[in-house]
Amino acid sequence: MKAEINEQILLRGLVENDSKAIEAIYKDNFNMVQAFILNNNGSYDDARDIFQEAMITLYEKAKSESFVLTCQIKTYVYSVCRRLWLKRLQQMGRYVAAGENLEETVPVEEDLELHEKRNAEFAIMERAMGSLGEPCKGLLNAYYIEKKGMTEIALQFGYTNADNAKNQKYKCLMRLKKLFFAQYNIGE
């Protein structure tokens, strides 16, 4: 958790042009990128150029309010640098690996868009759960989060038996689904 907070502080610092944050990101990541580029037909200057492009990409993404970093900064920067460098090698005609092309590398931007969409869906689900109300919210939480059995839920919520609890869980799930899709369709 502490590492995630630190990553968010660094991203905020990058957006606010905080020299300490930028320096920290540089110190934590440049050597890794440099080693990758030097080991793959590049020079120190190439590494600096590619790293700078990746920092600009990270800066522009971090400025966006919808951007949610779903990995470590190190992973993101490395992926962007790798993709940029392989693309540059291909343009210079120095990268031709049998059976591998750029489409087979990890498309970071597409991957991030998928994660951003998934995070938005989780936020909608959280709002839907919040507006679900009791006892449904508690019942679904007991079953799906706390992994309690139907007999235990029946006792906890005062149902006569596990079958009644199961029926109520189904009704609650349908209400949640209805709330989720009502909010999901508004967002599109």
Side-chain angles (χ1 to χ4, degrees):
M1 188 68 174
K2 196 172 191 180
E4 288 177 27
I5 293 169
N6 191 36
E7 300 263 309
Q8 294 304 317
I9 291 169
L10 286 175
L11 278 180
R12 200 172 324 117
L14 176 64
V15 170
E16 295 169 358
N17 291 320
D18 177 12
S19 60
K20 288 181 180 178
I22 294 168
E23 189 176 312
I25 294 171
Y26 184 90
K27 280 182 180 178
D28 290 345
N29 299 285
F30 180 72
N31 289 337
M32 168 188 63
V33 171
Q34 180 183 352
F36 170 74
I37 291 176
L38 291 176
N39 288 328
N40 289 282
N41 302 318
S43 67
Y44 176 76
D45 287 336
D46 291 327
R48 285 181 34 203
D49 291 346
I50 293 293
F51 187 79
Q52 188 60 36
E53 285 183 55
M55 287 293 287
I56 291 167
T57 301
L58 179 61
Y59 171 78
E60 289 173 352
K61 286 284 189 179
K63 274 187 1 183
S64 166
E65 288 183 23
S66 64
F67 177 68
V68 177
L69 188 66
T70 57
C71 61
Q72 292 182 341
I73 291 173
K74 179 179 284 197
T75 305
Y76 181 85
V77 169
Y78 180 82
S79 297
V80 171
C81 288
R82 182 178 187 276
R83 192 160 190 223
L84 290 170
W85 182 242
L86 294 177
K87 189 174 184 180
R88 186 174 294 176
L89 283 176
Q90 192 174 49
Q91 289 168 346
M92 295 186 303
R94 289 197 284 174
Y95 177 71
V96 215
E100 186 176 329
N101 60 31
L102 280 181
E103 284 73 38
E104 292 173 349
T105 61
V106 177
V108 174
E109 290 81 8
E110 293 169 16
D111 199 31
L112 287 173
E113 287 174 16
L114 177 69
H115 285 293
E116 288 172 8
K117 184 179 183 212
R118 190 166 289 144
N119 284 341
E121 289 170 349
F122 281 130
I124 294 170
M125 180 58 77
E126 196 172 337
R127 283 196 305 273
M129 277 294 282
S131 60
L132 188 60
E134 292 298 339
C136 281
K137 185 176 175 182
L139 195 150
L140 293 175
N141 189 54
Y143 184 77
Y144 289 105
I145 307 298
E146 298 171 19
K147 306 286 188 204
K148 292 183 177 179
M150 281 298 151
T151 306
E152 190 178 354
I153 291 172
L155 288 171
Q156 181 180 345
F157 289 88
Y159 297 110
T160 53
N161 58 41
D163 287 337
N164 286 346
K166 188 175 180 180
N167 287 336
Q168 188 58 40
K169 179 192 68 99
Y170 176 78
K171 290 176 185 176
C172 291
L173 199 54
M174 290 303 105
R175 279 186 51 211
L176 178 63
K177 188 175 176 181
K178 197 178 210 178
L179 288 167
F180 173 82
F181 283 110
Q183 291 179 26
Y184 185 82
N185 292 332
I186 290 171
E188 287 189 337

